[in-house]
Amino acid sequence: MRYLLTMLFILPLTSHACLELQKDSVKVQWTGYKTAAKVGVSGIFTDVKHDGKTKAETIDDLINGASLTMNLSTPSSGNAARDLNLKDKFFKLVGKQAVAKVKKIDKGLARVDLKMGKKTVDVALVPDLKDDVLTLSGTLDMYDFAIDSAFASIAKTCRALHEGKTWNDVAIKVTANVTPCKAQ
């Protein structure tokens, strides 16, 4: 019985001899929050560079050591006025880019060094593979990055729209298509 249960839960993640990450499918989504009701506002960075393995036998091997560089001047939320505020009143004060590097996989979590502004913070992301889509998700706290002036700037700029409340926690979700390697 134990063997059967092991096969049911382990086999789906390791049934391919090789997994291939599609570099052009990598997306970094963020969700910030506004108002006392904590209404989410989501967007992506349109300029993200992936550096790391594109083929490996396991998801852990595929993501361990990988890095992403996000151009912070490319936020896209589907609202041009919001994007301009984010770009000019927040990210411009943070810096030109953010860099995330997976330093290790530990107890089912991807431990990521995320450098934003002048500070690097350890962020835990949960990896998941479902329907050929790899997702790494987690939450970060803006205050951890010592970017208080940028946070105060966006909160002040959007005070009326946010009904006086801009939250410091931000949900992060990285996605990429991962498929079985093509036969060569």
Side-chain angles (χ1 to χ4, degrees):
M1 182 65 149
R2 185 182 320 173
Y3 176 74
L4 179 61
L5 288 174
T6 301
M7 294 306 290
L8 286 173
F9 289 103
I10 302 294
L11 191 58
L13 290 177
T14 60
S15 61
H16 305 293
C18 177
L19 297 168
E20 185 170 6
L21 183 137
Q22 308 303 315
K23 286 179 86 157
D24 61 346
S25 71
V26 176
K27 290 187 178 37
V28 177
Q29 179 184 356
W30 42 264
T31 302
Y33 301 97
K34 64 181 183 177
T35 77
K38 205 170 187 180
V39 174
V41 175
S42 297
I44 63 169
F45 294 107
T46 60
D47 184 4
V48 177
K49 303 279 189 280
H50 171 269
D51 184 27
K53 294 178 185 175
T54 56
K55 292 183 181 183
E57 290 184 18
T58 68
I59 290 299
D60 287 0
D61 288 340
L62 193 63
I63 62 177
N64 198 20
S67 66
L68 297 176
T69 303
M70 285 83 44
N71 179 341
L72 296 181
S73 68
T74 66
S76 178
S77 68
N79 179 308
R82 177 188 300 130
D83 294 347
L84 187 60
N85 280 336
L86 285 166
K87 184 178 171 182
D88 292 343
K89 303 297 183 182
F90 182 71
F91 289 118
K92 190 175 193 177
L93 301 173
V94 172
K96 293 182 180 189
Q97 65 184 18
V99 178
K101 181 170 174 107
V102 179
K103 60 184 176 179
K104 67 180 176 178
I105 309 298
D106 184 36
K107 298 178 184 169
L109 296 174
R111 303 305 301 201
V112 177
D113 277 342
L114 176 58
K115 183 177 189 315
M116 192 164 55
K118 295 180 180 177
K119 195 163 180 190
T120 301
V121 174
D122 176 68
V123 177
L125 299 179
V126 178
D128 185 38
L129 178 63
K130 185 176 182 179
D131 298 328
D132 293 336
V133 176
L134 171 64
T135 303
L136 291 104
S137 55
T139 304
L140 54 93
D141 185 333
M142 290 288 99
Y143 292 136
D144 288 345
F145 292 92
I147 53 174
D148 299 0
S149 61
F151 185 74
S153 172
I154 196 70
K156 181 180 177 183
T157 299
C158 299
R159 184 169 177 75
L161 292 169
H162 292 191
E163 299 173 6
K165 178 63 177 172
T166 302
W167 296 78
N168 57 296
D169 55 326
V170 176
I172 299 295
K173 182 165 74 169
V174 179
T175 59
N177 295 336
V178 175
T179 57
C181 294
K182 296 176 179 130
Q184 294 181 0

